[in-house]
C-alpha cells in the first residue's frame, strides 16, 4: 500500500514545491544545481553588480550576507569587498549566477579608474523603482540618468544618509531601499525579477545606447546590442 502522501485524489490539496530552495549545505558552496534561478534577460546593459545581486537575492529568497560570502572564501560579509574587477573573482561569480563573464565584468568598476567613482551608492529614483541600477551611475563623469534625465542622488530622502558602495551585507541586504532607515529609494518596490516590464522601451534603449557609447570601449564589449 502506498504511503498516505501518495494517495491523494484529484480533490485533495496538491503538495507544492517550496518556493525557495532549502539550504541544507554549506552556503559558500551554492550552485545552480540547488535550483537557483536567474536569467540574463532580467538585466539591461551595464546593470551594476549590486543590481544583479538584488535581483538574485529577491528571486531566490537569499539574505545579503549569504551572497557576499560567495564573493570570496575569505570575505567577511559585514566588512565586504570593493565591487572592482581586480578584486572580485569573476569566475567564481559566474559559477554562482550562471551569467556571461562579459556581463559580470561590465557590472564591476574598472580598477584603472580608481578614484573616479562615487564611494557611496548613487541612483536614479525612477530607475530604482523599476529595478535598475547602472554601473555608470557610480562614476563622477555621470550626473544624470540617460533615460529619465534626473540628477543622480546619493542621499536617502528620508534620513539623509548615504550608503558606502561596498559589496557587504548592509548594501546587498537592502534591495532598493536605504540600509539605515529602510525607506525605498524610488516611489515603489520594483518587480521581483525583470526590469523590462516596468521600464518603457524607449528608456531601455536610452540606457543601453548610453552604456555602449560611453563604456563599451573600456569594457571591450564591442557592438553587443542584446535585449533592450
Ligand atoms: Zn533613470
Ligand atoms: Zn534612510
Amino acid at each position: 500500500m502506498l504511503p498516505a502522501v501518495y494517495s491523494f485524489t484529484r480533490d485533495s490539496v496538491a503538495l507544492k514545491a517550496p518556493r525557495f530552495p532549502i539550504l541544507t549545505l554549506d552556503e559558500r558552496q551554492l550552485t545552480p544545481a540547488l535550483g537557483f534561478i536567474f536569467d540574463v534577460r532580467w538585466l539591461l546593459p551595464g546593470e551594476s553588480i549590486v543590481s544583479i545581486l538584488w535581483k538574485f537575492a529577491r528571486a531566490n529568497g537569499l539574505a545579503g550576507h549569504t551572497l557576499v560570502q560567495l564573493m570570496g572564501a575569505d570575505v567577511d560579509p559585514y566588512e565586504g569587498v570593493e565591487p572592482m574587477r581586480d578584486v572580485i573573482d569573476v569566475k567564481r561569480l559566474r559559477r554562482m549566477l550562471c551569467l556571461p563573464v562579459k556581463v559580470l565584468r561590465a557590472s564591476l568598476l574598472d580598477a584603472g579608474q580608481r578614484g573616479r567613482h562615487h564611494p557611496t551608492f548613487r541612483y536614479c529614483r525612477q530607475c530604482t523603482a523599476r529595478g535598475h541600477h547602472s554601473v555608470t551611475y557610480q562614476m563622477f563623469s555621470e550626473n544624470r540618468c540617460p533615460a529619465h534625465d534626473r540628477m543622480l542622488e546619493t542621499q536617502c530622502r528620508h534620513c539623509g544618509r548615504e550608503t558606502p558602495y561596498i559589496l557587504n551585507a548592509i548594501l546587498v541586504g537592502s534591495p532598493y531601499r536605504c540600509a539605515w532607515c529602510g525607506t525605498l529609494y524610488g516611489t515603489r518596490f520594483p518587480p521581483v525579477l525583470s526590469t523590462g516590464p516596468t521600464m518603457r522601451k524607449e528608456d531601455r534603449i536610452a540606457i543601453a545606447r548610453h552604456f555602449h557609447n560611453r563604456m563599451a570601449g573600456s569594457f571591450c564589449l564591442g557592438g553587443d546590442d542584446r535585449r533592450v
Side-chain angles (χ1 to χ4, degrees):
M1 180 177 169
L2 288 171
V5 69
Y6 291 125
S7 65
F8 62 82
T9 65
R10 185 177 299 188
D11 296 330
S12 303
V13 177
L15 295 175
K16 291 184 178 177
R19 188 175 171 201
F20 300 124
I22 298 169
L23 302 181
T24 55
L25 304 175
D26 180 355
E27 291 180 338
R28 289 172 183 263
Q29 301 298 320
L30 294 181
T31 71
L34 287 175
F36 293 100
I37 57 168
F38 204 87
D39 192 324
V40 70
R41 289 172 295 184
W42 297 346
L43 307 176
L44 293 180
E47 194 122 356
S48 73
I49 186 64
V50 168
S51 192
I52 291 173
L53 292 177
W54 281 351
K55 285 191 171 86
F56 189 81
R58 293 183 74 203
N60 295 288
L62 293 172
H65 68 84
T66 301
L67 284 177
V68 175
Q69 281 180 324
L70 297 169
M71 297 296 131
D74 47 7
V75 172
D76 179 333
Y78 293 92
E79 204 169 290
V81 61
E82 284 186 301
M84 313 279 297
R85 272 182 246 157
D86 63 338
V87 174
I88 301 293
D89 184 344
V90 174
K91 287 182 180 171
R92 181 188 177 102
L93 205 54
R94 182 179 64 81
R95 284 198 298 274
M96 174 179 76
L97 300 174
C98 282
L99 291 177
V101 167
K102 188 165 69 172
V103 171
L104 293 172
R105 283 181 56 78
S107 75
L108 297 166
L109 297 171
D110 182 0
Q113 303 281 313
R114 245 193 184 84
R116 300 184 191 176
H117 306 129
H118 271 269
T120 55
F121 177 72
R122 194 161 174 249
Y123 63 97
C124 161
R125 272 170 63 79
Q126 292 203 33
C127 281
T128 51
R130 292 162 175 78
H132 178 65
H133 175 258
S134 172
V135 68
T136 63
Y137 297 171
Q138 292 305 127
M139 297 173 183
F140 284 137
S141 57
E142 305 284 316
N143 289 309
R144 289 182 174 277
C145 168
H148 305 111
D149 199 32
R150 296 183 67 103
M151 287 294 289
L152 299 172
E153 303 176 42
T154 56
Q155 292 183 318
C156 166
R157 289 200 173 188
H158 182 70
C159 74
R161 294 188 70 175
E162 298 177 321
T163 305
Y165 193 65
I166 297 285
L167 295 180
N168 58 20
I170 294 173
L171 180 61
V172 177
S174 305
Y176 312 104
R177 58 172 67 238
C178 170
W180 310 108
C181 74
T183 301
L184 286 175
Y185 286 123
T187 52
R188 61 187 172 188
F189 241 124
V192 171
L193 305 179
S194 176
T195 298
T198 52
M199 188 83 84
R200 296 185 310 170
K201 186 175 182 184
E202 53 264 45
D203 294 339
R204 299 199 304 270
I205 290 172
I207 287 171
R209 184 174 294 148
H210 182 75
F211 175 73
H212 287 302
N213 286 346
R214 296 295 305 273
M215 312 308 300
S218 64
F219 283 115
C220 302
L221 294 178
D224 179 12
D225 281 314
R226 63 189 171 79
R227 304 167 324 281
V228 293

